[in-house]
């Protein structure tokens, strides 16, 4: 079982506590539904184990708040968040607000200032779920995608001039720094080094993007010299999509830029069965700031309020959060319960089942309280 904490040796060690402070930001759409389900499961889990507590504080930071106040967060939100051990995030985005405003108003406003530069997205086929790839078995697709999360294509630099005119100009500047590339490369190599296959594939587009992407290639090759036991190969991003579909077993740990990994990880989730099962950890490996954990899926307003949202991605996300906090026994217990109910066929429509959010949550709670024999 992959986890950000278990597989990364160059991150600072966790500080074990009897109680952890968790900031809960359900956000928009199905975010409140899946976060609420996850908190229910976490309360049952911690009560049963009786080894630590989670002190969870809910925040109403989302589009409703933005429409009322003009801000997604209060002005002192960063100082508020720094008082927590971790952040559990749902989703952000609403049909009533342009996506670039909501994303930069909340999610990116947290990740970038808190130096959560390592976005880690484990992907595998869970028991009872099926890949759309005809011959892909569970062991054939077991990846960790490491995404640079602080700069690159999402640096937020650029602008528009002569807006609305025929000669309007818009620029979107990608910014890559040697420091930023080196630290995410070191993180990714550490992930690869601590996985059984010790393989890393890094993805760029350096044939066409001859400056920033070429520097990425150069820095990664330099870092690779410090990890001689890791097998390294390089793919162009367009060719990588083909390899992920046609030869998933050839991949293990994947490193890519902010934009490239964002796209590739959605493809990976779909290949594993559904975007509704995919977790994300936004990590500050130094642990100077709290890290944030969220499901990959968005706010999904088409199913909001219908009780159809798949909570598995958020359950898996919470397991990653527990691993990061150092509570690996709890993390493993949670994922075992999730895998057992998936194997038993208690799954939502996106996985071919007919269970709703409440039914899946109830089944996971029951499995935690009364585990069935293997």
């Amino acid at each position: 079982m992959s986890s950000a904490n278990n597989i990364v040796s160059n991150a600072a060690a966790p500080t074990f506590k009897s109680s952890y402070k968790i900031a809960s930001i359900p956000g928009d759409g199905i975010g409140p539904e899946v976060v609420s389900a996850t908190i229910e499961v976490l309360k049952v889990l911690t009560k049963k184990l009786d080894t630590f507590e989670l002190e969870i504080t809910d925040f109403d930071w989302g589009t409703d708040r933005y429409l009322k106040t003009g801000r997604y967060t209060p002005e002192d939100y960063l100082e508020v968040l720094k008082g927590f051990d971790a952040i559990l995030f749902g989703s952000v985005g609403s049909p009533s607000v342009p996506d670039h405003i909501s994303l930069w108003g909340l999610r990116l406003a947290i990740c970038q200032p808190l130096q959560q530069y390592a976005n880690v997205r484990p992907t595998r086929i869970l028991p009872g779920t099926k890949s759309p790839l005809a011959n892909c078995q569970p062991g054939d697709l077991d990846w960790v995608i490491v995404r640079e999360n602080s700069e690159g294509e999402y640096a937020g630099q650029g602008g528009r001039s002569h807006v609305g005119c025929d000669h309007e100009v818009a620029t979107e500047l990608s910014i890559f720094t040697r420091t930023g590339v080196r630290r995410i490369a070191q993180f990714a190599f550490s992930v690869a080094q601590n996985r059984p296959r010790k393989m890393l594939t890094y993805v760029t587009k350096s044939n066409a993007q001859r400056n920033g992407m070429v520097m990425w290639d150069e820095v990664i090759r330099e870092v690779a010299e410090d990890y001689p036991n890791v097998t390294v190969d390089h793919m162009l991003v367009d060719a990588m999509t083909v390899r992920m579909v046609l030869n998933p077993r050839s991949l293990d740990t994947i490193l890519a830029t902010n934009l490239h990994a964002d796209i590739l990880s959605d493809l990976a989730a779909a290949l594993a069965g559904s975007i509704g099962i995919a977790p994300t950890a936004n990590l500050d490996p130094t642990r100077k700031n709290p890290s944030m954990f969220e499901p990959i899926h968005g706010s999904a307003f088409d199913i909001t309020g219908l009780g159809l949202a798949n909570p598995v991605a958020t359950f898996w996300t919470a397991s990653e959060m527990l691993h990061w906090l150092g509570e690996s026994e709890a993390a493993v217990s949670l994922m075992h319960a999730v895998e057992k109910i998936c194997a038993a066929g208690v799954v939502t429509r996106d996985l071919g089942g007919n269970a709703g959010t409440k039914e899946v949550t109830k089944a996971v709670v029951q499995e935690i309280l009364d585990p069935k024999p293997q």
Side-chain angles (χ1 to χ4, degrees):
M1 181 179 299
S2 302
S3 79
N5 194 52
N6 281 0
I7 60 181
V8 180
S9 63
N10 73 340
T15 300
F16 295 99
K17 300 181 179 182
S18 60
S19 180
Y20 301 92
K21 296 179 66 176
I22 309 299
S24 167
I25 308 175
D28 299 329
I30 64 171
E33 299 173 43
V34 295
V35 168
S36 174
T38 301
I39 290 174
E40 179 183 346
V41 167
L42 287 172
K43 287 181 177 179
V44 171
L45 178 67
T46 54
K47 183 177 181 179
K48 180 180 180 182
L49 294 176
D50 196 27
T51 54
F52 67 95
E53 295 180 354
L54 296 178
E55 181 184 339
I56 300 172
T57 303
D58 292 316
F59 292 94
D60 67 345
W61 302 350
T63 297
D64 286 347
R65 189 183 196 283
Y66 171 79
L67 293 174
K68 293 175 184 177
T69 68
R71 286 185 60 97
Y72 277 86
T73 64
E75 292 187 5
D76 64 345
Y77 74 101
L78 290 176
E79 289 306 310
V80 170
L81 290 176
K82 287 178 180 180
F84 289 84
D85 297 299
I87 304 163
L88 181 62
F89 188 87
S91 60
V92 64
S94 166
S96 59
V97 176
D99 287 341
H100 68 280
I101 293 176
S102 58
L103 184 65
W104 280 96
L106 188 53
R107 185 188 174 278
L108 292 180
I110 295 172
C111 290
Q112 294 193 358
L114 293 183
Q115 293 301 303
Q116 297 169 353
Y117 68 81
N119 180 287
V120 183
R121 296 184 167 185
T123 306
R124 55 189 171 87
I125 302 173
L126 297 180
T129 64
K130 186 178 180 181
S131 170
L133 301 176
N135 298 315
C136 188
Q137 303 303 314
D140 294 339
L141 197 162
D142 186 354
W143 306 332
V144 174
I145 298 178
V146 177
R147 167 186 173 189
E148 202 293 315
N149 206 37
S150 67
E151 55 179 38
E153 304 90 344
Y154 297 170
Q157 300 299 307
R160 295 171 64 181
S161 60
H162 311 294
V163 177
C165 299
D166 287 342
H167 57 284
E168 179 176 353
V169 176
T171 61
E172 198 74 48
L173 182 63
S174 297
I175 296 180
F176 304 102
T177 64
R178 180 168 285 270
T179 295
V181 179
R182 183 189 300 113
R183 69 183 183 179
I184 196 62
Q186 291 170 337
F187 183 94
F189 271 97
S190 184
V191 170
Q193 189 175 54
N194 285 277
R195 282 172 60 82
R197 300 175 70 191
K198 301 186 186 305
M199 294 167 49
L200 184 138
T201 301
Y202 70 94
V203 182
T204 62
K205 187 59 178 171
S206 47
N207 60 340
Q209 295 178 290
R210 58 186 182 178
N211 296 306
M213 294 286 90
V214 171
M215 186 186 76
W216 255 77
D217 292 351
E218 292 173 355
V219 173
I220 292 170
R221 287 194 294 267
E222 291 171 7
V223 173
E225 295 178 2
D226 295 329
Y227 297 85
N229 61 337
V230 175
T231 302
V232 185
D233 71 319
H234 174 230
M235 294 293 294
L236 298 176
V237 65
D238 42 356
M240 184 62 168
T241 62
V242 177
R243 182 174 170 185
M244 289 170 70
V245 172
L246 297 183
N247 194 8
R249 190 167 178 77
S250 71
L251 298 165
D252 190 81
T253 305
I254 300 165
L255 169 63
T257 71
N258 213 332
L259 173 64
H260 293 165
D262 192 9
I263 296 169
L264 293 176
S265 57
D266 277 15
L267 172 60
L271 294 177
S274 171
I275 201 168
I277 63 173
T280 301
N282 302 285
L283 304 179
D284 172 8
T286 70
R287 298 185 188 266
K288 293 178 180 178
N289 300 294
S291 294
M292 183 167 71
F293 301 82
E294 60 177 323
I296 284 182
H297 65 67
S299 47
F301 269 83
D302 57 326
I303 60 170
T304 297
L306 300 179
L308 301 176
N310 188 345
V312 166
T314 318
F315 294 162
W316 191 349
T317 292
S319 175
E320 294 298 308
M321 180 180 73
L322 292 172
H323 271 303
W324 184 250
L325 293 173
E327 299 295 342
S328 290
E329 178 188 357
V332 170
S333 296
L334 175 53
M335 275 310 294
H336 278 172
V338 171
E339 291 172 347
K340 289 289 289 295
I341 67 101
C342 287
V346 186
V347 294
T348 48
R349 293 182 183 181
D350 55 307
L351 293 174
N354 54 19
T357 311
K358 290 183 178 179
E359 288 76 16
V360 174
T361 304
K362 181 180 179 180
V364 171
V365 166
Q366 187 59 37
E367 181 61 33
I368 291 171
L369 292 174
D370 184 21
K372 303 299 185 295
Q374 293 287 345

